[in-house]
Amino acid sequence: MADELRADEDSCHDGNYCDKPGTLLQSFVPEGKTLFPEVFQTSQLLFYERFQVYQDYILADCKASEVREFTAEFLEKVLEPCGWRAVWHTNVFEVLVEVTDVDFSALKAVVKLAEPYTCDSEVSTFTSECMKELLDLKECRLPLQELWVVFDDSGVFDQTALAIEHVRFFYQNIWRSWDEEEEDDYDYFVRCVEPRLRLHYDILEDRVPSGLIVDYHNLLSQCEEKYREFLNLRSSLSTCKSDSEQENISMVEGLKLYSEIEQLKQKLKLIENPLLRYVFGYQKNSSIQAKGTHPNGQKVTHVVSSSMKTGLLWSLLRDKFCEESCKEEMEIQFHSDPLSAINACYEGDTVIVCPGHYVVHGTFSIADSIELEGYGLPDDIVIEKRGKGDTFVDCTGADIKISNIKFIQHDAIEGILIIHHGKTTLENCVLQCETTGVTIRTSAEFLMKDSDLYGAKGAGIEIYPGSQCSLIDNVIHHCKEGILIKDFLDEHYDIPRISMVNNMIHNNEGYGVVLVKPIIFSDLQENNQDETEENKALKLKTSVETDTTVKVDLEELIQCTTGKVELHARADLSEQAEGNYEIVNEIVIASTQKGQMRKKRLSELGITQADDNLMSQEMFVAIMGNQFKWNGKGSFGTFLF
């Protein structure tokens, strides 16, 4: 069907109707609506089909204020002005109508009831007389997006059905009531239509975490509600007397509402952008509950093997249980797959995974302090996750240890390993990622040693504010970004404590390490007035522009989303010493600026801090001996949002 639709659009979108006899579209009968004739099936268009029409034929280079005008011009070229029937669909009823004319500028059709009268409603009072009265009240003019074109196999009305589908989809899924009031001096399609369209299809194709989808819809509802309040308040101001007390109060409320709306809109834009939705993803609070210790107080060792042979059993007894068995009796449980072993664990248990290739379809939810270790080399102990799902390994335990295992991720929505809180240690493991790699949430602690991480479409490691991350003797390669250090829009966390020793970070598409930090305009303006000459020099140093020969397409992506992002990129530093120095220097400067803003706020509250050393000394446990090679955009980059 996709090929038929594409061929139909390619041959007809210039405004001329197809010369081929017969329709290229399919039909369907709405479920339970057997009284009605078949209608055109147009709701299953693919992303690129909608994208092409909006970009090339409807919106082109229009401004937000010109959307209705451009849409009307498009409809005039392709829409049959009369002679077709449609089902008028509302939340209350459906009725068959005949179109006699089209008001293109208003995006409405002039209709009359079709003969014979056909109506379906849960309310039996919708007689033909009642419906005629309703149409008279509407002057027989109905919005085009409420009409579903009745199927006709001649092909004459194909373009009419497709055009109405594009209008309906746009106003249901793309258009926002506040769009027209936003900045109107650059391309509306690139700024709003494309990212919203991509998000819609990413959600349909299970490429967005379920929690992020909920957050997006909640933000959208909040923004719509606040915007309605703002419009009502603005309308009431026109009736107030000038300089009255009521007007002054309303002005203050209006400014507050406007500020809240702008914050909500910015968050929506971040989620709509395919890069930034993972950079600034939602803070998921894991609902995993710890079991605690076994009722009998003992610790259990869980052995995982698809089949147990005598040689393997003797090796296990010799290597893992000999010393323990000399002290006291120990309970051993056997499992055929690692997921069932994890689910059976209590506080202090150990899971030993024997060599083999294990395929799992669920999430490893680890809420207790346990040890998960492979018995052998990582390439011999492979755990592969198949099936769609948000996370591969979810950690909330106080002290979790994972070693000697290779994890392979498929059909993922979120990262391969997420540490929500507590400490997780990963040693001698291989992580073959698909979306993002390891995510260390606020207040969590992560230690990774002698491990290999690759293949992430986002960052190999995402470090949230307020977390602790130690990376020692690892290889991070062939990801979108190597390591990404985050900050949030509206919350002030401490910068994380980071240790990076003897890591090899190479062949990543973007930077080896990226620092993300927000621009807090009011704080920066106040801070600029009070900063010392030394801090001015530091800020000047951070704003040095990269060489003009370096092309930074990340900048274009971010600016398309927010319109306010500034990217401070560094040229590639091939020597490891320079790369390490650059990371330390840049994050110290970020720490300095953030500390000054925090000090300013505390000062306003009458609170003072004795320590002027900022956070730099406690933040850097160690950054040394790391190698940065062949990263697409350089060793280190920062951008402000």
Side-chain angles (χ1 to χ4, degrees), residues 511-523:
Y511 295 99
V513 178
V514 178
L515 172 65
V516 178
K517 51 188 178 181
I519 300 174
I520 306 175
F521 292 102
S522 59
D523 284 341

Side-chain angles (χ1 to χ4, degrees), residues 410-461:
H410 293 296
D411 297 322
I413 298 175
E414 283 197 82
I416 198 166
L417 169 63
I418 298 181
I419 302 102
H420 296 277
H421 46 79
K423 179 181 179 180
T424 296
T425 300
L426 195 74
E427 186 170 0
N428 195 32
C429 288
V430 177
L431 303 180
Q432 181 179 316
C433 311
E434 185 165 274
T435 50
T436 53
V438 179
T439 301
I440 307 108
R441 301 283 187 185
T442 299
S443 302
E445 183 178 352
F446 180 60
L447 168 61
M448 185 165 87
K449 296 174 61 179
D450 301 307
S451 295
D452 185 9
L453 187 155
Y454 60 93
K457 294 176 183 176
I461 295 180

Side-chain angles (χ1 to χ4, degrees), residues 40 79 122 147 188 225 296 322 334 342 406 427 433 435 502 554 562 610 617:
F40 281 102
L79 208 66
E122 296 179 1
L147 300 180
Y188 174 71
E225 183 180 349
N296 59 12
C322 184
F334 291 90
I342 293 290
K406 180 176 182 178
E427 186 170 0
C433 311
T435 50
N502 298 332
L554 182 61
T562 64
Q617 291 182 0

Side-chain angles (χ1 to χ4, degrees), residues 258-386:
Y258 179 80
S259 176
E260 291 174 358
I261 291 168
E262 288 302 308
Q263 288 184 13
L264 290 169
K265 282 158 59 176
Q266 190 176 19
K267 290 180 180 180
L268 287 170
K269 289 177 182 178
L270 294 175
I271 297 175
E272 287 163 359
N273 182 277
L275 171 65
L276 297 183
R277 81 174 59 133
Y278 296 106
V279 173
F280 306 106
Y282 68 105
Q283 298 181 66
K284 177 181 173 184
N285 295 316
S286 178
S287 58
I288 310 169
Q289 297 295 323
K291 295 180 182 177
T293 57
H294 280 272
N296 59 12
Q298 291 187 339
K299 295 180 181 179
V300 175
T301 298
H302 304 264
V303 177
V304 179
S305 181
S306 54
S307 63
M308 182 61 68
K309 296 183 178 180
T310 55
L312 177 60
L313 183 58
W314 278 114
S315 297
L316 277 171
L317 290 172
R318 181 187 68 241
D319 297 337
K320 296 295 181 182
F321 302 107
C322 184
E323 295 180 3
E324 293 291 334
S325 61
C326 296
K327 297 179 182 178
E328 58 182 20
E329 286 295 320
M330 185 176 201
E331 182 179 347
I332 302 173
Q333 295 182 9
F334 291 90
H335 305 264
S336 60
D337 70 277
L339 185 57
S340 64
I342 293 290
N343 292 338
C345 279
Y346 284 78
E347 183 80 13
D349 285 2
T350 299
V351 177
I352 299 174
V353 185
C354 296
H357 191 121
Y358 305 90
V359 176
V360 298
H361 294 271
T363 298
F364 284 17
S365 299
I366 308 176
D368 294 281
S369 297
I370 68 168
E371 293 188 26
L372 172 63
E373 60 176 288
Y375 181 53
L377 298 174
D379 287 338
D380 297 327
I381 302 114
V382 178
I383 302 177
E384 181 178 355
K385 185 178 188 299
R386 294 180 184 171

Side-chain angles (χ1 to χ4, degrees), residues 115-167:
E115 296 291 343
Y117 174 70
T118 307
C119 179
D120 182 71
S121 172
E122 296 179 1
V123 182
S124 59
T125 54
F126 280 105
T127 62
S128 59
E129 289 75 17
C130 291
M131 196 60 66
K132 285 179 181 177
E133 290 180 11
L134 180 59
L135 284 176
D136 288 340
L137 289 173
K138 293 179 171 289
E139 299 178 343
C140 296
R141 292 150 53 90
L142 304 178
L144 286 171
Q145 58 262 39
E146 294 182 7
L147 300 180
W148 294 81
V149 181
V150 170
F151 181 75
D152 185 290
D153 60 7
S154 68
V156 174
F157 300 116
D158 283 17
Q159 289 308 300
T160 296
L162 283 169
I164 291 176
E165 169 61 28
H166 289 309
V167 172

